[in-house]
Structures are given as structure tokens and as C-alpha cells.
Amino acid sequence: MSWGTELWDQYDTIATHTQKGIDFCERFTHFLKDRCSIELKYASELKKLVKSYQPKKKEEEEYQQYSWAARFWDVLKELHDLAGQHEVIAENTQGQVMKDVQSLISEMKQQRRKDLQDGAKVQDQLKESLAKLDKSRKNYEKAFKMAEKATDDYRKADADINLSRAEVEKTRNQMMIKNSQCDESKNEYAAQLQQTNQHQRDHYTQQMPSVFQQMQSMEENRINKIKSMVKQIADIERSVIPIINTCIDGMVKASDGISAEEDSKAVIDKYKSGFPIPADIPFEDLSNSSVIDTSNANGTPKNSLDNRKGTVSDKKKNRKDKKGGGGLFGIFTSSKIIGLLGEESKEDFSDLPPNQQRKALNRKIDEFKKEIARETAEREGMLKMKDVYVNNPALGDPNALEKKIEENAQKIDSLQAEMRKYQGYLANMDAKPSPVGQRRNSLSDDSISQSSTNMEMSQTSLPGQPPVAANEPEVYTDEWPEPPSDEEFEEEGTVEIRKKPDKKAIDDEEDHVGEFEHAEGDFDEEGFPVIGTCRALYIYEAGNEGSVAMTEGEEMFVLEQDQGDGWTRVRKHDNSEGFVPTSYIQCHFYDQDEV
């Protein structure tokens, strides 16, 4: 349907309607601007939210340790990407749709102005033609009236007998002139009327319909553009929906990655010290100067030498209290636990519990490997640059790089030496699964397995080795850890507090010698008393200093029992002494017979 035929008389209405279309486009522009502002603000708020809940730099390592924290971090990353998609919506809307709308408004204003000018011109031409027609009609009316009057005057003069023939002729001539003028005016009016009618027909059938058609085309073009833009807005949103869905799927995947079991295991891996559970606290019978000690989980009694020697003196108890307590509750103030809390550790991290020491050494080695790789890449780059300078001296002096290459080589050598040192610490630790360094030190808070009655024979240790529970079955290996020698104990500042056994304690042992003939008061050269016997359950080849070999079924004297590190000091029949794995022997202590 055409506006020119259907709305031929609604020119002013159509002009107003087209103006409303332009006003709507401007309003649509404001809508898009506000929409983009909301999208950008929403994206900004989402990113601000992500930033406020994102882990700090020092917390990143901990976030990677637990699935719930790591997956929450993944959710934050997906949310950040989702916020970016809202920014994409705003940017594409501003760069595409709003630009097109503004261009459309400018085109419509120009087209509407031109169409209105054409319409006004056609309207003026019709008005001018109508004005000419009206003027010719008025002239015709005037001439007609004058011709009628002249005709009446002539008739009156011709009927009047008093007038001369000349006067009558004059009146007749005047009538003829007026009639002639009336005929001319009539002809002019008829011609103008015909011309005006033709112009009017052209006006309403050709000229104005053409103007209306241009305005109709402009309006339809505007509507089609609005339709296209609305669809374009939807397409912009649809284009980011797959990415938004991917972000949502990532959040769902992150939720599926949360595992309570894995997190519980991670807590164990992070905080496990590697120390054994403290043994039962023995009963102190002051009436007969003997101690009834309950057995530990594997049946091996603890501190039989202390049991024979009686109770701990008040002086030693006071000294232990001054040190901050001991026994079972000493684990909460242990220097190893303090090391876990972030205080400065030793170079080999030997002040940390075994598991934590191994992790710290591995982290240190990884750091050195990364640094060496970086320095090596830098060295290769300098060598390539030197080759380029050698082949083309105009680019630079190759000798200028010699000093840098030398410094780089020294740095790499230094890093490799440091890495080998830490690898040595780790290898030494792996070669010593038994915590030699955790032996016999009940005077410090480092030992968590000492009872209140073994304070007199405890000894400081070499920290940082994983413990092996006494009499716990182990897989046999040819690479057993090196037991501590007396020199190692002295170098580490070991402390031995021993009491010389009294005559009564030695006499009590004579009735419990068993298969061995145990002489009264049998001590080794360093004052170690024989506290029991043992039989080898497996073959053990001593490959380290401080240990002794044994064959299956061999019987030996026990000089010092396992203090929680997996090693027992024994003496063989050939008087050779050393440490053997506690899990490889079956012990019998004399104080068991006394009980």
C-alpha cells in the first residue's frame, strides 16, 4: 500500500509521523548507551568482586594444596572471564549498533528535510495555480457584470425615443466592447481552469505521491534498520553465550573437582611431622625404687635402664619445668613444630619434622633447577649473540660479552654447587629413614616419644630424619641408614646423662641372665650397661659407620634400646658394638623379669 494514494490528504500528519520516527531512533540510542553502561558497570563490579576474594600472593601456594580452595580459585577465574564477556557485549554494542543508529538518524534527518522541501515546493505550485485560477475567475465575473450592464444600457437607450441615433450607437458599441472583454475573460478563465485542473491532477496523482513514496521509503528503511539492530543486539549476546556457558561449565567442573578425601590427605601431607606417637607414661613406684612400665604398641618396653635407676630427681623435674615442660605436652612447644610455624629454619631444614624437611628440600632443589635453567638460557643467548658479532663485527664487539659469559658460567657453577648440596641433604635423608637425629634428647622439647622417667639417659639428635617405629616389620633392603657414631653425637652437641648403676641394681640382674652368662655390672668401655639380650630375625649387612652386621638367629647383648628412631645399640660375642635395625631383632630386657 502506498501513502501517496491512501494518505493523499495527510501530508502534515505524515511529516509529524516521520519526525516521531527520528525521535524514537534518538531514544533508542540513549537506551543502548544506558545498556552499555550497565554492562560495563556489572563487569567492573564482578571483576572488583573477584579481585577482593582472590588469594593474596602469599596465599597462592596454600590455595593450590586443597581442592576446595583451588576450585574456588577456578570459580573466581571463570567469573572473571564471564565479566569479560559482559564487557564484550558493551564494546560490540557501542562499536556496531550505536554507530549504526547514529548514522541512521543523520541520514533520516537529511532525507526528511529534502522530502519536506520537495513536498512544500509541490504544494506551493498548486497554490500558485489555484491563485491564478481564482484571479481569472474574478476577472471573468467582473467582465461579465460589466457586459451585462452595458447590454442593459443599450436596451434602455434603444427603447428611449428621446435619445439620438448617435447616442444609441455609442451605447451599442460600448455593449459590444464589454461583451468582447467578457468573452476574453471567460476564455482566460476557462484556460486557467483547465490548466489548474491539470496541475491539480498531477499534484495528487504524481507529484505528491512521489514525495509520499520517498517519505514512506525512509520510514520503512528506518523500521528495517531498527529490526536489524535489535537482532544484532541479540546476536551480540548470543555470540558470548557459548563462552558464558563454558564459564558456567568451568564452575561446575570446579565443583566436581572438590574432594574431601583428597583435602584430608593434603592436610596429612602438609602437617604430618613423621614422629611416632608418644609411648605410655610409666608408673613410678617409690616404695621399692622400681618402675612398672606398660608396653608400647609393638611390645617393646621403653627406657628399661631408667626403670632400674629409680625416679627422676626433683632437681631435674624443676629444670624440665623451667624449659617449658616435657613429656606428652612437650610436642606443642617443640622446636620442630615452631619450625613449621614459619620461624627461620636451618640450612638443611633439619629442625623441621622429617616429612616437612623432605618437602622443603625438594622445593629448594626445584628453585635451583629453575634458576639454573634461566641462567643457561641466558648463556645460550649470549653465546649466539657472540657468534653473530664474530661473523659481523659491525653489529658489536664480541669481546664485550666475554665478561658477562664468564660471570654467567660462575653463577651457574655456584647454583649447581648449591643444588648438589641440597641434593646431598636429601640423599642423606633418604638413605637414613631412621631418625638418628631424633635420638635421646629428653632434656629438650624435640623428642615427643620420651616418658617422664627416661630423662636421665636421653641424648640430643641429628634432626630431620623420618622415624621408624620399633619392631615394625619393614621390607629388607641393602641400603640401610647409617647409625650415628659417637663422634656424630659429640659434633651435634649431644648430651648424655647417665647414672652409674648401684650394687643392688646389678645384683638384681644376676637372676635374669637367661641363656647368656651376664657378669655382674657388665658395662662397655663408654659406660653402656647390658640391659638385655636380643636375637636376629633377619640378615643385616652393615654398610655404614656405626652399624654392625648380623646373621639370622644370632644372639647379642642389648646395650641401649630403641628411643623411637628405629635403631638399637648391641654388643656381639666378639665384643664388637654398633647399631642394628630394631625391626630386625627380637629383644628381651632384664627389667621384664623383675616385674
Side-chain angles (χ1 to χ4, degrees):
M1 299 180 69
S2 174
W3 288 3
T5 57
E6 303 295 334
L7 302 175
W8 61 271
D9 58 342
Q10 300 295 325
Y11 175 76
D12 294 336
T13 303
I14 291 177
T16 303
H17 176 75
T18 53
Q19 180 60 42
K20 288 182 179 179
I22 295 176
D23 294 340
F24 173 80
C25 290
E26 292 178 344
R27 185 177 178 81
F28 186 63
T29 303
H30 294 314
F31 162 76
L32 294 177
K33 185 177 180 181
D34 293 340
R35 167 73 188 281
C36 294
S37 177
I38 291 173
E39 292 287 352
L40 291 174
K41 186 177 180 180
Y42 178 62
S44 176
E45 291 296 326
L46 280 182
K47 289 187 174 182
K48 189 183 298 183
L49 177 68
V50 170
K51 184 177 180 181
S52 61
Y53 284 92
Q54 197 171 14
K56 304 298 185 295
K57 193 70 176 177
K58 59 182 180 180
E59 299 175 343
E60 290 183 359
E61 183 177 356
E62 183 175 358
Y63 264 67
Q64 295 296 338
Q65 293 177 353
Y66 305 109
S67 64
W68 55 267
R71 300 293 81 78
F72 175 69
W73 195 358
D74 292 341
V75 170
L76 291 179
K77 293 177 181 177
E78 297 294 346
L79 190 60
H80 186 275
D81 294 342
L82 191 146
Q85 298 310 307
H86 287 279
E87 289 182 341
V88 171
I89 293 175
E91 292 172 358
N92 290 341
T93 303
Q94 288 177 339
Q96 300 176 15
V97 183
M98 288 183 63
K99 185 177 179 180
D100 292 343
V101 173
Q102 291 172 353
S103 176
L104 175 63
I105 292 174
S106 177
E107 291 177 1
M108 285 188 63
K109 286 183 177 180
Q110 293 180 1
Q111 182 67 31
R112 181 175 179 275
R113 186 182 302 112
K114 178 178 178 299
D115 293 340
L116 291 178
Q117 289 176 352
D118 292 343
K121 182 177 180 182
V122 172
Q123 294 272 5
D124 291 341
Q125 289 176 354
L126 179 60
K127 289 178 180 180
E128 182 179 356
S129 179
L130 291 174
K132 289 181 179 180
L133 176 61
D134 185 63
K135 183 178 179 181
S136 62
R137 183 178 63 81
K138 289 180 180 180
N139 290 334
Y140 171 63
E141 289 177 354
K142 183 178 179 181
F144 179 77
K145 290 178 180 180
M146 293 177 67
E148 284 185 342
K149 183 180 179 182
T151 301
D152 290 341
D153 291 342
Y154 171 71
R155 288 175 181 174
K156 289 178 181 180
D158 187 46
D160 190 358
I161 59 173
N162 296 321
L163 294 178
S164 64
R165 191 167 186 86
E167 291 178 344
V168 172
E169 188 65 22
K170 181 178 178 181
T171 306
R172 189 179 71 83
N173 291 336
Q174 187 69 25
M175 179 192 69
M176 295 295 293
I177 291 173
K178 294 299 180 180
N179 287 332
S180 175
Q181 290 178 349
C182 179
D183 291 338
E184 290 178 1
S185 297
K186 182 179 179 180
N187 292 332
E188 288 180 0
Y189 170 68
Q192 185 62 40
L193 179 62
Q194 184 179 2
Q195 183 179 359
T196 301
N197 288 333
Q198 182 63 38
H199 194 180
Q200 182 172 277
R201 284 193 298 270
D202 294 341
H203 175 83
Y204 288 112
T205 59
Q206 296 181 7
Q207 295 175 346
M208 286 306 297
S210 176
V211 174
F212 284 142
Q213 185 62 38
Q214 292 177 0
M215 299 181 75
Q216 182 179 356
S217 299
M218 178 191 69
E219 182 67 11
E220 290 177 351
N221 180 59
R222 177 189 70 84
I223 296 172
N224 290 329
K225 287 288 184 68
I226 293 295
K227 174 183 176 181
S228 175
M229 291 172 188
V230 172
K231 184 178 180 181
Q232 190 175 7
I233 294 172
D235 290 339
I236 290 174
E237 289 213 40
R238 183 182 290 112
S239 65
V240 301
I241 285 177
I243 303 178
I244 293 177
N245 288 335
T246 302
C247 296
I248 296 174
D249 293 340
M251 295 179 186
V252 175
K253 184 179 179 181
S255 67
D256 294 337
I258 298 176
S259 172
E261 293 78 7
E262 294 295 331
D263 288 343
S264 297
K265 183 180 178 182
V267 173
I268 294 174
D269 293 340
K270 181 176 181 180
Y271 296 110
K272 181 180 179 181
S273 66
F275 295 126
I277 298 175
D280 294 341
I281 301 174
F283 173 75
E284 299 183 7
D285 190 353
L286 302 181
S287 62
N288 57 9
S289 299
S290 63
V291 179
I292 301 176
D293 188 5
T294 58
S295 298
N296 56 18
N298 54 26
T300 303
K302 300 281 289 180
N303 306 322
S304 59
L305 179 59
D306 291 337
N307 296 341
R308 298 193 344 263
K309 292 183 179 180
T311 61
V312 180
S313 64
D314 293 338
K315 180 178 180 180
K316 291 183 179 178
K317 289 182 180 179
N318 293 336
R319 181 167 56 188
K320 187 167 74 172
D321 292 340
K322 291 178 180 178
K323 285 190 173 186
L328 175 64
F329 300 99
I331 62 174
F332 299 107
T333 56
S334 171
S335 60
K336 296 178 177 59
I337 302 301
I338 293 175
L340 283 174
L341 297 178
E343 292 193 4
E344 185 176 358
S345 300
K346 295 182 180 179
E347 184 183 37
D348 60 351
F349 305 103
S350 58
D351 54 337
L352 298 178
N355 283 24
Q356 308 306 322
Q357 181 188 10
R358 180 176 284 102
K359 290 182 179 180
L361 289 173
N362 284 324
R363 283 197 301 268
K364 198 72 175 178
I365 292 172
D366 291 340
E367 291 176 3
F368 281 121
K369 287 182 179 179
K370 292 179 181 179
E371 187 68 19
I372 290 173
R374 189 180 67 81
E375 293 294 334
T376 303
E378 183 177 348
R379 177 180 177 82
E380 292 176 356
M382 289 190 292
L383 290 175
K384 290 180 181 179
M385 187 180 296
K386 180 181 177 181
D387 293 339
V388 173
Y389 289 170
V390 170
N391 296 330
N392 192 352
L395 297 177
D397 184 10
N399 296 325
L401 297 175
E402 289 291 345
K403 186 176 180 181
K404 292 183 178 180
I405 295 175
E406 183 178 356
E407 291 177 354
N408 180 268
Q410 293 175 356
K411 189 172 182 180
I412 292 176
D413 292 340
S414 176
L415 291 172
Q416 290 176 343
E418 287 293 321
M419 184 178 70
R420 285 194 295 270
K421 180 172 68 173
Y422 282 92
Q423 288 175 339
Y425 291 150
L426 183 61
N428 185 44
M429 182 179 181
D430 292 336
K432 294 183 179 182
S434 300
V436 174
Q438 297 171 8
R439 288 179 72 90
R440 304 162 175 81
N441 185 13
S442 59
L443 288 182
S444 71
D445 293 331
D446 291 344
S447 175
I448 65 170
S449 62
Q450 300 295 331
S451 66
S452 61
T453 61
N454 65 0
M455 296 292 293
E456 300 180 13
M457 61 172 294
S458 59
Q459 180 174 333
T460 3
S461 58
L462 303 173
Q465 308 297 335
V468 178
N471 290 339
E472 181 179 347
E474 297 182 4
V475 178
Y476 175 73
T477 175
D478 291 336
E479 298 181 358
W480 270 91
E482 180 181 354
S485 63
D486 295 335
E487 291 77 4
E488 290 176 333
F489 280 50
E490 292 174 0
E491 289 174 1
E492 296 294 334
T494 57
V495 179
E496 287 191 6
I497 303 177
R498 303 184 182 276
K499 284 188 177 180
K500 193 169 184 179
D502 54 14
K503 177 67 176 177
K504 182 180 183 302
I506 297 175
D507 291 340
D508 292 339
E509 294 178 0
E510 293 180 352
D511 297 332
H512 308 288
V513 174
E515 298 179 7
F516 291 10
E517 293 183 358
H518 173 57
E520 180 179 336
D522 189 7
F523 291 87
D524 64 2
E525 295 178 357
E526 297 183 358
F528 286 101
V530 176
I531 61 175
T533 61
C534 66
R535 182 169 64 85
L537 301 176
Y538 311 101
I539 298 175
Y540 173 64
E541 298 292 339
N544 299 314
E545 182 181 358
S547 63
V548 293
M550 62 182 180
T551 60
E552 183 178 356
E554 183 178 359
E555 295 183 349
M556 299 165 287
F557 295 103
V558 178
L559 302 181
E560 192 173 11
Q561 77 174 64
D562 184 8
Q563 298 298 316
D565 55 8
W567 292 93
T568 300
R569 183 186 286 270
V570 300
R571 179 192 296 162
K572 303 179 67 173
H573 287 290
D574 58 1
N575 291 328
S576 60
E577 296 181 5
F579 290 92
V580 295
T582 304
S583 58
Y584 274 44
I585 59 175
Q586 182 178 9
C587 298
H588 174 80
F589 297 94
Y590 298 141
D591 59 342
Q592 291 178 330
D593 297 333
E594 294 176 2
V595 175

